[in-house]
Amino acid sequence: MRRLAAAASAVVVGAIAYGAADVADVVPGVLTRDVAADVAQITPGPQPGPVGAVAPAASTKAPRPSAGTLARELDPLVEDAWLGRRAGVVVRDALTGEVLYDHRGSAPMVPASTQKILAGAAVAETSDLSSTMTTRVVTGASADEVVLVAGGDTMIAKGAGDPTAVEGRAGMRDLARQVARSLGPEAKGERLTLRLDATYAAGPRVPSTWDPTDVTNGFTQAVTMIGLAGERPEPYQPSPRYPERSALSALRAELTRAGLDVRVDDSASTWRTAAPEGATELGSVESAPLGEVLAEALSSSDNALTENLTRQAALADGARSGDAKDVARWVRSTLTDAGVDMSGTRLLDASGLSRGQRVPADTISEVMQLGITGSAKSLRGVLLGLPVAGFTGTLHERFTEPEAVPAVGVARAKTGTLTGVSGLAGTTTTADGRVLTYVLLADQVPSTTGTLGARAVLDEIVGTLTTCGCR
């Protein structure tokens, strides 16, 4: 009856799609004001295009599905062999937080990229999401030296910035023009040396718990505090090994365009030297607001960008170091302080890419609930930026099978994928208009059917929740 096309695809494409790394994600958005408004805003609304359902109007008065009916509908799917020997599933009523369905929800499981929800929540809990990241150029230790000071933005445009964009909001051309104006006409007859100060939010470029081949193969990139738009990795299309050097080169090109004679000192040994104390600022550019960058990191499941933002927040909040394990400890303690039960959780990084991590489905569900009910007010917007099923982000090519299609344009979710692991965590609206949250994790997906087979079942579960009156 179901998933025949997906099954055939799984056999043909399984080895490729089974990948080494997590390529799907989600998250935060604008803060909202009250619980009812938060719940209503979760529904994506009508989506453009010929395909896709119009989400039922979310209503706080809509009938709630009964636990017994949900169990009858979901049990056969949760036990589907394509999910492997164990799955963890938790479904809640978004308005009240009541658990309506629980299948091994407390069992620690490999979260893959659904773990980014935890990192995003911790960042949102401790940071001003309206703040920006500043990239500066200042005077150096000598009259002929200028210093590019990294400030966390890894999506700087090579040329002019775009004030409407998230990736590429700041631009090297804008920065270079400010520097040229500050130095004045007399600088055009001098040879300047440009170097980098990369001391801000310093930490390992590649966490020790990552497989370095994930960087080589383009599933992630080095965790840096400066980089260029358009150079983020794609599977089997890796980023430059040193994004810092790309940034220096782009700035040099724009300084040259502005009429300055500049050479670059791109020796990594100089990156660890801070700009002189009291140096004069020659120019600065600002990233998109932190909340928008965080939403992009999660919706595109960008591992390095998630680590970058979480490291910045952790160090600003007193984390011991920028090492991925210390940042992970900070995520755990921050969420514990926010009231989340973190027992059974083992975190080694912020992004979910490291092997050996475990998170119960119910823990992710709790964090999402905080983002809706506002028990921790700064988390209320976490779910509003999730990709929409069948339309955006990592969900734009999913929910194609008949049993899953009802969720298209209605459900939102953060994906998670590793070898043998497939997950979804998000929200949907029932046929009656009741908003539900769901966390679906399977971490023993059989190699015979692979990721695509598991995804087909997970999508069908969400489709079932969406069509459910289940009273």
Side-chain angles (χ1 to χ4, degrees), residues 92 113 137 148 154 191 197 214 226 237-238 272 323 344 357:
R92 289 180 189 254
S113 249
V137 173
L148 173 62
T154 58
R191 185 81 185 275
D197 169 0
D214 287 341
I226 195 167
Q237 299 178 37
R272 295 188 292 272
D323 182 81
Q357 305 192 91

Side-chain angles (χ1 to χ4, degrees), residues 245-261:
R245 287 184 175 139
S246 291
L248 281 168
S249 179
L251 180 58
R252 179 188 179 276
E254 291 300 332
L255 289 171
T256 301
R257 181 188 179 102
L260 299 174
D261 182 8

Side-chain angles (χ1 to χ4, degrees), residues 26-28 119-121 123-124 129 289-299 306 309:
V26 56
V27 287
V123 172
L129 297 184
L290 181 62
E292 295 181 27
V293 179
L294 182 57
E296 169 58 25
L298 299 181
S299 65
T306 302
L309 297 173

Side-chain angles (χ1 to χ4, degrees), residues 7 9 28 41 45 102 108 133 155 159 192 197 227 251 314 393 462-463 471:
S9 298
Q41 287 182 39
D102 186 322
M133 295 173 283
M155 298 191 295
L192 298 175
D197 169 0
L251 180 58
V462 179
R471 290 183 243 173

Side-chain angles (χ1 to χ4, degrees), residues 198-204 225 311 315 321-323:
T199 57
Y200 170 71
M225 291 297 145
R311 181 193 294 177
L315 289 172
S321 78
D323 182 81

